[in-house]
């Protein structure tokens, strides 16, 4: 989080940290939107035969 | 739960709208096929029939939605909520390189409205501003908000340096770091305004229904000054409530989220709306641009209800003031919606959520389909063999080919009806219910409806070109990024319009000449499309000019809502204090 910046004239700005929303963390799991990549026909066949071998 | 959100009623509305769309598509396809058969059905006729079926289905779907929305709803229930029981709620204002004087004026006006309605909510300005000078101007302009330490409505502010996930990531960052302090968040856009009583109603509705994850309002557009902007503003005020009622009747538990002017349960957002980056590069991979549709779908997947209620008043937003700004925003929406092709098959989604994705995708592909239909129809006409009056070797009398004019006229008439009837039906509803009084009376409202139809007909071919280009760019792998929405950009010169639309103009002229040379008898049929294209720069310029005539009058123009009046007053004061307004950082299209 950026709480202070410097202007083009290198003049420091006020610290804005004190205006930040109060900390109250909450878990937010990443959602699954894509199926796992499907194995190719070659991969499927090789798995079957490797398992049988 | 409102009476219109019931399983049986929802199913009937959906089936009715889908059947109507299929019926119209079949009728259009059969009519065109018959016309093709009259003169020998070739491959171009086959393409034309498929394309007319698709485009007519889309038109009829929109018309069906309007017809579903004509009957009114029960009045909005009066729901009160005492301050003692008022749950912790934050109004989130995500901004990114916005005009800070306007942002400050909006928040000050809303804060006043909260105080007047005694609504104890916090404001959180979530800044993604990255331009150093803009950041300095932003902090200087917003400083008065922090000086006024109103206990009931404190204002918080933070700026992100890691702008991961753009607007959705900005809100997500707040939920992750501060969400635990709140029960609800009201998500706004930088140009949104909402009244205190509206916020109280939203919170009361969420409190009354613990299965409700998100409640979306229908924002009214305000503040337009140009002919284009006022036409859009009129359309949003006059037509949108009816279209939205139709949509609400079909939403069931899977209503829409439009990204702003909505309240959400923090617990539902945190459980369901942590958006991933899509695999692969933009435009189809990377950050999800049209995140709101996806968030609505994820909330429903997580067992929450998402609802849109068009009866809720006191919710406002601004819109683009000229066609170029509109097209620029549309480019982003196009990329976002086409990106949903990756998500239609996402695991566990509700069927209607998938259908909504398809609908959003079709909204842009249909433009390409209309363009393709015109081209295919021209090719079919240009490659038509000359009629053979004596197909048999020994024939006394000539055989004349059947005339297909009747079918073509019938098809054009049917499509015209699909375009016009919904708007005329909405006018009928407004006149019958007295809603038209807010638009200057039935006669003036009718004038505005007809003017809006004319203007829409003129700009539709230009938008068809912009949308077709947007679709082509996305499929070619070109990422349009996330340009800032131009608000109040206003008047354009002919040179600016020419630079941005000369390709449309040249295309229109070339097609007109080609049609004149190859199939001259079709030239008049195509003029409604080719003429607006040819004069696109002129149309874009003229419609960007200020308009304050009686046509396109809206209720908000006649009786300014308190929060809008306060915003304008604070903007005037703020602008005067700042000396001059800070221009939004927007690149020309």
């Amino acid at each position: 989080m950026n709480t202070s910046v410097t202007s083009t004239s290198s003049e420091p700005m006020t610290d804005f940290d004190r205006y930040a929303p109060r900390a109250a963390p909450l878990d937010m799991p990443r959602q699954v939107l894509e199926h796992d990549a499907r194995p190719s026909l070659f991969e499927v066949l090789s798995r079957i035969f490797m398992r049988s071998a | 739960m409102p009476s219109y959100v019931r399983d049986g009623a929802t199913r009937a509305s959906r089936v009715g709208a889908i059947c109507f769309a299929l019926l119209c598509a079949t009728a259009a396809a059969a009519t065109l096929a018959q016309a093709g058969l009259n003169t020998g059905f070739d491959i171009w006729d086959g393409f034309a029939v498929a394309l007319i079926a698709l485009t007519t289905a889309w038109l009829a779907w929109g018309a069906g939605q309007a017809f579903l929305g004509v009957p009114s709803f029960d009045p909005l229930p009066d729901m009160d909520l005492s301050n003692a029981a008022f749950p912790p709620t934050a109004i989130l204002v995500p901004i990114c390189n916005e005009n800070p004087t306007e942002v400050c004026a909006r928040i000050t006006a809303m804060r006043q409205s909260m105080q007047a309605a005694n609504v104890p909510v916090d404001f959180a300005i979530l800044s993604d501003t990255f331009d150093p000078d803009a950041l300095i101007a932003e902090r200087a302009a917003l400083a008065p908000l922090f000086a006024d330490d109103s206990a009931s409505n404190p204002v918080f502010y933070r700026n992100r340096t890691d702008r991961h996930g753009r607007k959705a990531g900005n809100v997500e960052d707040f939920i992750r770091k501060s969400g635990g302090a709140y029960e609800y968040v009201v998500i706004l856009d930088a140009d949104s305004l909402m009244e205190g009583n509206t916020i109280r109603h939203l919170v009361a509705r969420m409190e009354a229904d613990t299965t409700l994850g998100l409640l979306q309002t229908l924002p009214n557009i305000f503040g337009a000054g140009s002919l284009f902007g006022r036409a859009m503003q009129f359309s949003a005020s006059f037509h949108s409530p009816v279209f939205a009622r139709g949509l609400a009747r079909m939403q069931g538990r899977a209503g829409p989220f439009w990204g702003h002017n909505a309240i959400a349960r923090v617990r539902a957002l945190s459980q369901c709306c942590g958006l991933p980056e899509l695999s692969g590069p933009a435009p189809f991979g990377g950050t999800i641009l049209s995140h709101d549709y996806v968030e609505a779908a994820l909330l429903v997947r997580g067992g929450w209800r998402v609802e849109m209620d068009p009866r809720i008043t006191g919710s406002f937003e601004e819109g683009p003031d000229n066609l170029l700004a509109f097209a620029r925003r549309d480019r982003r929406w196009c990329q976002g919606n086409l990106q949903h092709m990756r998500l239609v098959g996402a695991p566990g989604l509700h069927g209607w959520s998938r259908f909504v994705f398809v609908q959003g995708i079709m909204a842009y592909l249909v433009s390409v389909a209309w363009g393709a239909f015109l081209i295919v129809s021209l090719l079919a006409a240009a490659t038509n063999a000359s009629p053979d009056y004596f197909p048999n070797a020994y024939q006394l009398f000539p055989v004349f080919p059947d005339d297909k004019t009747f079918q073509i006229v019938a098809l054009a008439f049917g499509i015209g009806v699909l375009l016009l009837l919904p708007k005329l039906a909405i006018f009928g509803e407004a006149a019958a219910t007295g809603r038209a009084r807010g638009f200057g009376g039935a006669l003036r409202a009718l004038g505005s409806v007809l003017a809006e139809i004319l203007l829409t007909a003129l700009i539709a071919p230009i938008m068809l070109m912009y949308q077709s280009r947007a679709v082509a760019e996305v499929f070619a792998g070109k990422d349009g990024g996330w340009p800032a929405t131009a608000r109040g950009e206003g008047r354009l010169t002919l040179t600016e319009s020419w630079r941005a639309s000369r390709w449309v103009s040249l295309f229109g002229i070339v097609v007109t000449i080609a049609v004149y040379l190859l199939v001259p008898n079709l030239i008049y049929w195509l003029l409604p499309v080719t003429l607006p294209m040819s004069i696109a720069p002129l149309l874009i310029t003229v419609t960007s000019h200020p308009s304050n005539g009686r046509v396109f009058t809206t209720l908000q123009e006649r009786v300014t809502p308190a929060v809008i009046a306060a915003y304008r007053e604070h903007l005037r004061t703020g602008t005067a204090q700042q000396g001059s307004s800070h221009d939004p950082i927007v690149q020309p299209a």
Side-chain angles (χ1 to χ4, degrees), chain B residues 177-195:
Chain B
K177 291 175 179 162
S178 306
Y182 297 99
E183 193 73 31
Y184 304 110
V185 286
V186 177
I187 302 170
L188 300 186
D189 245 359
D191 63 356
S192 301
L193 281 175
M194 288 185 89
E195 288 178 346

Side-chain angles (χ1 to χ4, degrees), chain B residues 343-359:
Chain B
L343 305 177
V344 171
L349 292 188
H350 192 274
W352 187 253
S353 300
R354 297 186 202 278
F355 184 78
V356 169
F357 283 159
V358 172
Q359 210 179 308

